[in-house]
Each structure stands twice: as C-alpha cells, then as structure tokens.
Amino acid sequence: GQSLEQPSEVTAVEGAIVQINCTYQTSGFYGLSWYQQHDGGAPTFLSYNALDGLEETGRFSSFLSRSDSYGYLLLQELQMKDSASYFCAVGNYGQNFVFGPGTRLSVLP
Amino acid sequence: GAVVSQHPSWVICKSGTSVKIECRSLDFQATTMFWYRQFPKQSLMLMATSNEGSKATYEQGVEKDKFLINHASLTLSTLTVTSAHPEDSSFYICSAGGAGGTYEQYFGPGTRLTVT
C-alpha cells in the first residue's frame, strides 16, 4: 500500500518562510507532487519532483530525496493569500495517485 | 489552458434518488480522468480512474454499482451516485491528467452533494 505523512497544521507570519514536510511509503514511486487548496475550492497544482533536488517556482520551491522517501514544500515571503491547505501526492507506476492528509497553513498578519 | 469544468457545482437531493455529475475538459483531450471524494477537513480520496472508451478502475472499498462512471468521449466523464444516502454527502472532484502524465492533474471546481 501507500501512505503519506504531513504535519496537520502550520502557522507563520507574513513575510516569513515556512517548510511543509512530507514523508511517504509507496512501491514503484515515480514522483511527488504538491497541491494547494483554499477552503471550498479545488486543488491547484504547484510543483512536481521526479528526481532528487530542489525545484524552484517563484516563491515556492519543492525538494525531494528519494533515498529518504521525503520531500518538502518551501514557501517564501509568505502572503495572507497563502493561507490554505497543502497536499503532497505520490504517483507510482501502477498509476495510482494518492494524496497526503494535508497541512493547513495559517498566515498571520 | 488545461481547464476542467464540473456541473453542477452543488446539488441537494433526497435519499434514494440518483445524481449525475459531469466533468469536462474544455481545452484539451483527456484520455484519463480521475474522480475524488473529499469530506470536510479531510484529504482527497481517489474513488476511480476513468479511461475513455473502457471501464473505470475503482479503488478498493468503492462500490462500482453505486458510483457509476462513464467516460464516453475524450472531453467528458460522468459520475452517477445511485440510490444516494446521507452518508454520500460530500465534495466530489474530478481531475484530468496533464500533458506530463498523471503527476500533474487539473482539477474541476468540484460538486458539493447534500443528500437529505
């Protein structure tokens, strides 16, 4: 089977940097994705890592270590609009796509 | 690009009735679409993978006779909740795979189903 772990909640202030970790157990792993979901809305794709290392996209960066079955999403220069739930998701060669439990980020003024 | 729509956005139905939810890829062809269910403050649970022109693949524990999925064209997949019960009340979200494969999915806006 597959399982993912994320912190349930993270709180930070505007302008700060926050890191949301994700650990996973899966077979046939081919990539780790990150999605953002605001309350009442649908998830939106943020990033994807198939290889080890850091991928940077504007204020958001994502990191993957396949040997450690670990990744994180790094959000810099936090803004109020970044308050949302963030999900990591793993895909494997069996074409299953499983989401983590989600981390609720609250950005305070 | 990569816009996915869902209809209806919300629906209230009586227990025992059936409800159909449509998922459309508006500006691309989606060979594969996915259906998820999300309860309040919980994660997305994959219900089934819908492949155009073939039978859907259901996740373990999802009743295929209760949640009927049809993917008749490259731009339309439908989910029918048959004989709905209050415990079926949830947020149903569809997604379509992006050009890079299933790792990048484009989600519809979701359908909030309330069964009374």
Side-chain angles (χ1 to χ4, degrees):
Chain A
Q2 298 168 80
S3 67
L4 297 93
E5 291 188 5
Q6 298 179 239
S8 59
E9 294 184 7
V10 173
T11 302
V13 296
E14 270 188 301
I17 299 173
V18 71
Q19 178 175 312
I20 299 174
N21 298 321
C22 174
T23 57
Y24 59 87
Q25 290 185 338
T26 185
S27 57
F29 172 87
Y30 71 70
L32 180 71
S33 303
W34 287 92
Y35 288 82
Q36 178 191 61
Q37 185 181 30
H38 286 97
D39 287 344
T44 56
F45 173 78
L46 291 178
S47 69
Y48 169 72
N49 294 71
L51 302 175
D52 287 355
L54 189 68
E55 295 281 342
E56 299 182 64
T57 308
R59 294 189 298 115
F60 295 177
S61 302
S62 59
F63 172 83
L64 174 65
S65 170
R66 295 172 66 113
S67 61
D68 295 324
S69 297
Y70 163 77
Y72 66 72
L73 180 70
L74 190 71
L75 298 86
Q76 303 182 70
E77 301 174 19
L78 281 176
Q79 303 175 9
M80 297 294 289
K81 66 179 181 180
D82 297 330
S83 293
S85 292
Y86 293 83
F87 296 91
C88 59
V90 295
N92 66 31
Y93 290 106
Q95 294 301 301
N96 293 330
F97 198 68
V98 179
F99 281 77
T103 299
R104 188 169 186 85
L105 171 63
S106 299
V107 180
L108 304 178
Chain B
V3 178
V4 177
S5 71
Q6 270 185 253
H7 178 79
S9 56
W10 60 271
V11 58
I12 301 173
C13 71
K14 292 187 176 181
S15 186
T17 61
S18 295
V19 174
K20 179 185 283 189
I21 302 170
E22 293 185 349
C23 176
R24 294 181 185 272
S25 57
L26 298 185
D27 52 1
F28 68 103
Q29 294 183 328
T31 306
T32 304
M33 289 185 174
F34 305 88
W35 287 96
Y36 295 85
R37 181 167 53 182
Q38 185 178 33
F39 293 106
K41 298 190 184 303
Q42 294 188 21
S43 186
L44 288 82
M45 299 297 297
L46 179 65
M47 298 176 66
T49 301
S50 167
N51 294 294
E52 186 266 338
S54 64
K55 291 184 178 180
T57 302
Y58 291 81
E59 295 300 302
Q60 193 172 8
V62 177
E63 299 175 60
K64 59 181 65 176
D65 294 330
K66 180 173 182 60
F67 298 99
L68 302 179
I69 292 173
N70 182 273
H71 194 156
S73 77
L74 288 172
T75 59
L76 174 64
S77 176
T78 61
L79 167 68
T80 301
V81 183
T82 63
S83 187
H85 288 97
E87 56 265 31
D88 298 324
S89 298
S90 186
F91 192 47
Y92 292 87
I93 313 173
C94 71
S95 73
T102 56
Y103 71 85
E104 182 176 350
Q105 296 190 12
Y106 300 99
F107 286 84
T111 297
R112 189 161 301 282
L113 170 64
T114 302
V115 185
T116 61

